[in-house]
Amino acid sequence: MPSWKKYARIVLPHIGLILLSILYIFGGALAFYQLERPNEIQVRKMNLQKIDHYRKYMLNELWIMVNDNSTSDEEVERLTMVHLDRVTRLLFDAFDTHFITSSHLNEFANDDECTWTLTTALFFTTTLLTTIGYGNLVPVTVNGRMFCIAYALFGVPLILITVADIGKFLSENIVWLYTRLVCIPFSTYLNIRNHISHQKKKREFFKITFFKKLVLNLLFKKLSQTN
């Protein structure tokens, strides 16, 4: 079997699992975008109309009170505070749950500016499946919430399996690289050093043996001459 086929069989399952997870995340983002964006536009439009209607009503009431000489200053102040309190509550609810920001209250506001975009939907699905869940963006429609439960039920295990697979793949390759780059060179160095040390000992042994033989030969010669 060619080497590239061998490596392909090792790498392709990991790549396939990663691609499946990416497609699942992008598919979920598109689904949430389609489920939540129309509701956001509708809710924001209704509440902007409600705010505009109450603003006109408040201005009309205040104008009538100011021009009515029979109304005391205390009564004007009291009714003004009542209207301001209602407007404050209305705006707070609009900013909190009705997808309205300060830019939408502008006369020249861009109606296409939405909280649910493809980018934010992708961010939501990523944080959902990785179990981070910042909570700054959540589905509010019934269909969106039901889909979110089913989507997370299958998506979270898929992402966990993918992360575990990536971790296992990285750990195995890091160990392999460590073995290749550190252990094998160090082992080779030890073998070379041991070989050199062995050769030195061998040469010293031969020198000592040769010296002993030389001394013994000289002694034998001297003894033979004396005899």
Side-chain angles (χ1 to χ4, degrees), residues 158-171:
L158 174 63
I159 296 300
L160 291 177
I161 292 171
T162 304
V163 172
D165 181 73
I166 293 173
K168 182 181 178 182
F169 179 78
L170 290 177
S171 65

Side-chain angles (χ1 to χ4, degrees), residues 15-25 158:
I15 296 177
L17 190 58
I18 293 172
L19 290 177
L20 178 62
S21 300
I22 292 173
L23 289 175
Y24 193 82
I25 290 173
L158 174 63

Side-chain angles (χ1 to χ4, degrees), residues 103-198:
S103 61
H104 292 121
L105 299 176
N106 190 354
E107 184 179 357
F108 304 101
N110 184 10
D111 294 334
D112 295 333
E113 183 180 349
C114 292
T115 304
W116 281 98
T117 62
L118 287 175
T119 304
T120 56
L122 182 62
F123 175 78
F124 170 73
T125 54
T126 304
T127 56
L128 173 67
L129 297 182
T130 53
T131 66
I132 296 173
Y134 289 109
N136 57 332
L137 184 67
V138 294
V140 295
T141 62
V142 176
N143 292 334
R145 290 177 176 178
M146 295 299 293
F147 176 75
C148 182
I149 294 172
Y151 180 75
L153 188 64
F154 293 97
V156 171
L158 174 63
I159 296 300
L160 291 177
I161 292 171
T162 304
V163 172
D165 181 73
I166 293 173
K168 182 181 178 182
F169 179 78
L170 290 177
S171 65
E172 290 176 351
N173 283 275
I174 289 172
V175 170
W176 182 82
L177 286 174
Y178 177 78
T179 304
R180 291 286 182 178
L181 299 178
V182 178
C183 293
I184 292 178
F186 184 70
S187 177
T188 305
Y189 165 74
L190 290 178
N191 291 332
I192 293 173
R193 192 179 69 174
N194 291 333
H195 178 72
I196 294 172
S197 177
H198 178 71

Side-chain angles (χ1 to χ4, degrees), residues 47 50-51 54 81-98:
N47 280 273
K50 184 178 179 181
I51 291 172
Y54 189 80
M81 292 302 297
V82 170
H83 284 298
L84 288 176
D85 182 65
R86 289 179 180 175
V87 169
T88 302
R89 292 176 182 273
L90 191 64
L91 291 176
F92 180 80
D93 291 338
F95 294 150
D96 188 39
T97 59
H98 297 152

Side-chain angles (χ1 to χ4, degrees), residues 2-12 176:
S3 59
W4 67 269
K5 288 186 177 181
K6 178 182 177 181
Y7 290 115
R9 290 182 62 182
I10 296 173
V11 175
L12 282 179
W176 182 82

